[in-house]
Amino acid sequence: MDRERELRDNLERVRERVQAACEAAGRPAEEVTLVAITKTFPISDVRALAALGVRDLGENREQELKAKAPDCPEATWHFVGQLQTNKARSVVRHAQVVHSVDRSSLVAALSKAAVAEERVVRCLLQVSLASYGPDGAATGIARGGVEPADVPALAAEVAAADGLELGGVMAVAPLGADPRDAFAGLHAVASRLRSEHPGAGWISAGMTGDLEAAIWHGATHVRLGRALLGTRPPLG
C-alpha cells in the first residue's frame, strides 16, 4: 500500500470516529476541527494530507514548524507544544494559533512578536487538569498548563495584549486518570471563560486515544497524530 492511500484510509477512519462521537454527543460533526499533528513526519506527508483536504496542521517543535509551514502556506498552522519565550517570534511568524499559552512571560513575548510581525495570533490557554477527579481531589499526573483558578487572570492578559486574540482553552488529559473526568473539568473551565470572554469558544482537547471523551465534553478541536500518520519516526 502506498503512503498516499494509507493516509487517505487513516483519514477516512478518523472522520468516521469523529462523526460517531459527535452523533453520540448530539452534536453536528461540523463543530469539530481535526488538527493533524505532523511531528517527526516528513514534508511529503504534510503535502499529502493537504491534498486530501486537511486544512489544519500542527507541530510541537519550533524547528519543525519553521521548516514545514512555508511549504504549505494555505494551511492553518497550530503550534501545540511547550514554547520558550525566545522562540516566540519564530512561532508567530509561521503559526496562526498557539495552543500552549501558560504564563505571563509567554503572553508578553507572543504579543511583542505579533506586533513586530504585524500579525494577529489566536491564543489558547493550556489548562492543567491534574486537580480534577470525581471527588475533586488530585488525580493522575498533570501534563502542563496553568491551574484552573489562574485562568481568568491569564485570559485577561491575553485579551488585553496587542496582536493576540483569546481563542479559548487547551488541555491534555492527565496520565493515569480517566479522561472523561478531566475533560468534564476542562468544559467547566471553558464555560466560565466564555462567560467573561464570549468570543473565546475553542476547546482543544482529545488525541488518538481519547477523542471520543473530548468530543462528548465539548471539544471543538481534536489533535491527532498516530491515528492519521501511524507510529512516529524517531526524532532526528
Side-chain angles (χ1 to χ4, degrees):
M1 182 186 299
D2 63 29
R3 182 60 168 163
E4 183 177 346
R5 181 179 175 186
E6 179 184 5
L7 292 174
R8 183 172 61 250
D9 290 348
N10 289 348
L11 179 60
E12 182 177 351
R13 284 192 289 269
V14 164
R15 286 175 170 163
E16 288 172 353
R17 284 182 66 187
V18 170
Q19 178 71 40
C22 286
E23 289 178 0
R27 301 174 58 194
E30 294 75 20
E31 287 185 355
V32 178
T33 297
L34 167 65
V35 182
I37 306 302
T38 59
K39 176 177 71 172
T40 76
F41 287 95
I43 191 64
S44 58
D45 283 353
V46 174
R47 296 187 190 116
L49 287 172
L52 290 168
V54 177
R55 294 290 176 260
D56 290 82
L57 300 168
E59 281 294 337
N60 76 337
R61 296 200 306 168
E62 175 266 341
Q63 301 97 311
E64 287 196 80
L65 175 69
K66 70 180 182 182
K68 294 175 182 176
D71 201 76
C72 198
E74 70 276 15
T76 297
W77 282 92
H78 301 247
F79 187 81
V80 302
Q82 294 301 302
L83 179 56
Q84 297 174 337
T85 55
N86 65 343
K87 303 290 188 180
R89 186 157 185 178
S90 177
V91 167
V92 163
R93 190 174 292 132
H94 299 293
Q96 292 91 343
V97 187
V98 176
H99 288 234
S100 49
V101 177
D102 59 359
R103 61 197 186 280
S104 296
S105 60
L106 183 55
V107 174
L110 288 169
S111 176
K112 181 179 178 180
V115 170
E117 295 292 328
E118 298 183 335
R119 302 190 70 180
V120 175
V121 177
R122 193 167 180 85
C123 293
L124 307 184
L125 306 185
Q126 182 171 355
V127 180
S128 172
L129 298 181
S131 60
Y132 288 105
D135 58 359
T139 180
I141 300 172
R143 307 283 283 276
V146 61
E147 291 298 321
D150 297 327
V151 165
L154 191 62
E157 292 181 29
V158 173
D162 292 335
L164 304 184
E165 178 183 44
L166 180 62
V169 295
M170 177 274 244
V172 182
L175 293 170
D178 189 331
R180 293 172 296 183
D181 295 327
F183 293 144
L186 181 65
H187 185 269
V189 172
S191 296
R192 290 193 292 270
L193 179 65
R194 281 197 305 273
S195 71
E196 296 293 329
H197 304 274
W202 286 15
I203 301 176
S204 171
M207 299 189 294
T208 294
D210 55 23
L211 72 85
E212 286 84 2
I215 289 172
W216 180 268
H217 289 291
T220 62
H221 292 69
V222 293
R223 310 178 304 274
L224 302 183
R226 177 165 46 87
L228 280 174
L229 293 142
T231 304
R232 296 193 185 283
L235 290 171

